[in-house]
Amino acid sequence: MHSQPISDIQPLADIILLLGEKVSKLITECRDFYKLEEEVYKLSQEACVKIFAWALEEIDTWLVNARDKRTWKVIGFRERTVVSSFGEFKVKRRLYRNKKTGEARFLLDEVLGWPERSRCTPRLKEMAVKLGSEVPFRRAAEILGYFVPGISAMAVWQAVQEAGEALRQEGESRREAVFEKGETPEGKEKTSRLYIEADGVVVRLQRSGEKRKEVKLFVAYTGKEAIGGGRKALKDKLVTSGVGEGERMWEEVYSGVASRWDMGQVKEIYLGSDGAEWAKQGVD
């Protein structure tokens, strides 16, 4: 991409001027520390939402001018709801049609790597996933609500689901490359010894025909190191988990391990488990 002037910065100036006016009003009227902090934060969020929306529209305008006009024709605008770390807003972006193939695409979404059906922005999704994997979704939404107005437990759940599906597909792609396409992983890190531990935990399922499912957990590492207080931590830890069959999961584990470590340098591999049959398959 080459740079070009922003089409119109007046909207940005208007946002900043309006923010200044509202803060000035607070300065003359507010005499409560908590309230002042709360209101300044809310005003800042409102301004950030408007600036974010404006920035997206400016990129969309840049793209319409930079596109290959022989290939892409604008066929209209479509509105999309965005839930960001600043709050929720709507943005209009151009829908294009390929004159040769008839394919319809949003160039803005594509250039920014913005998933088609995801309402949450990548940054908010990252925050939601980190919280949602540590505490219940409702509690995660409550905590995020202090910073992001209107986020729901369902939004947190959806963010975690999307992140999990992306990781599942990534692991499956690595497994297929090694065990179905015959590709050789090219791990770069070097170690002469690897430890791999496997265990399972049974979890209750919701909205499923099955009541319970075993999640298979694997951790690979190169050793242990003292961290003080008589405790030790795993070195170079690599974690894999899933609900697939034992052999398939071990294939995914191996492809992940071999993509990180140079297996030609590994002289010893120690496997540890509680003796479950699927865990013993790792030896094979």
Side-chain angles (χ1 to χ4, degrees):
M1 288 187 179
H2 61 276
S3 61
Q4 69 179 46
I6 295 174
S7 59
D8 182 12
I9 64 169
Q10 189 57 49
L12 179 59
D14 291 341
I15 293 168
I16 295 173
L17 285 172
L18 182 60
L19 174 62
E21 289 175 6
K22 291 183 177 180
V23 172
S24 295
K25 186 178 180 181
L26 274 177
I27 291 172
T28 59
E29 296 180 359
C30 185
R31 293 296 179 267
D32 179 275
F33 200 109
Y34 183 94
K35 189 69 174 177
L36 180 63
E37 180 182 10
E38 182 180 50
E39 291 302 316
V40 168
Y41 184 76
K42 286 180 180 179
L43 290 174
S44 299
Q45 280 189 308
E46 290 174 9
C48 286
V49 162
K50 292 175 181 178
I51 291 172
F52 194 9
W54 173 77
L56 289 171
E57 290 170 1
E58 281 297 314
I59 296 173
D60 199 44
T61 299
W62 190 97
L63 290 170
V64 75
N65 294 324
R67 80 190 192 281
D68 182 354
K69 296 181 177 63
R70 295 169 299 179
T71 302
W72 296 104
K73 176 184 178 181
V74 178
I75 58 176
F77 286 82
R78 298 293 185 275
E79 192 173 66
R80 183 171 181 180
T81 299
V82 186
V83 184
S84 74
S85 54
F86 309 122
E88 183 177 309
F89 63 95
K90 296 182 184 296
V91 62
K92 287 184 178 180
R93 70 266 198 258
R94 292 170 178 84
L95 177 63
Y96 300 83
R97 190 176 300 282
N98 189 305
K99 296 178 182 179
K100 301 174 184 177
T101 66
E103 176 190 10
R105 285 158 60 180
F106 292 101
L107 295 186
L108 178 67
D109 298 17
E110 188 173 302
V111 165
L112 294 179
W114 191 3
E116 182 179 352
R117 291 180 175 81
S118 180
R119 295 185 67 220
C120 292
T121 60
R123 183 170 184 270
L124 178 58
K125 183 183 294 185
E126 180 184 37
M127 295 163 64
V129 169
K130 285 183 177 179
L131 268 176
S133 60
E134 297 289 340
V135 299
F137 299 137
R138 192 173 300 280
R139 177 59 178 157
E142 181 182 347
I143 295 171
L144 281 173
Y146 284 103
F147 310 100
V148 185
I151 190 165
S152 65
M154 182 56 68
V156 175
W157 176 86
Q158 184 176 6
V160 173
Q161 296 299 307
E162 290 174 0
E165 178 60 20
L167 289 173
R168 187 197 67 77
Q169 290 180 5
E170 181 181 338
E172 179 61 18
S173 295
R174 282 199 303 261
R175 189 200 67 79
E176 288 181 355
V178 176
F179 290 93
E180 296 183 21
K181 298 178 182 178
E183 297 178 10
T184 302
E186 298 181 357
K188 303 299 183 184
E189 297 183 27
K190 300 187 184 301
T191 183
S192 61
R193 183 177 297 175
L194 273 176
Y195 300 85
I196 303 176
E197 297 181 11
D199 200 357
V201 58
V202 177
V203 297
R204 293 183 179 181
L205 301 179
Q206 296 181 4
R207 303 174 185 173
S208 173
E210 299 178 87
K211 291 185 177 180
R212 291 178 174 80
K213 193 81 172 181
E214 183 180 35
V215 180
K216 297 176 178 65
L217 306 170
F218 306 82
V219 57
Y221 56 97
T222 59
K224 297 181 180 180
E225 57 185 349
I227 58 174
R231 295 179 300 156
K232 293 184 178 181
L234 305 184
K235 292 174 59 178
D236 308 317
K237 184 168 61 174
L238 177 65
V239 177
T240 305
S241 64
V243 295
E245 295 300 321
E247 182 177 353
R248 197 177 190 89
M249 286 304 306
W250 274 112
E251 289 179 353
E252 184 176 328
V253 170
Y254 175 82
S255 60
V257 166
S259 295
R260 177 169 175 178
W261 287 285
D262 180 355
M263 298 306 289
Q265 302 293 320
V266 178
K267 305 303 180 184
E268 299 173 319
I269 300 178
Y270 294 86
L271 302 182
S273 76
D274 62 359
E277 288 303 314
W278 66 263
K280 292 178 182 179
Q281 292 175 329
V283 176
D284 299 329

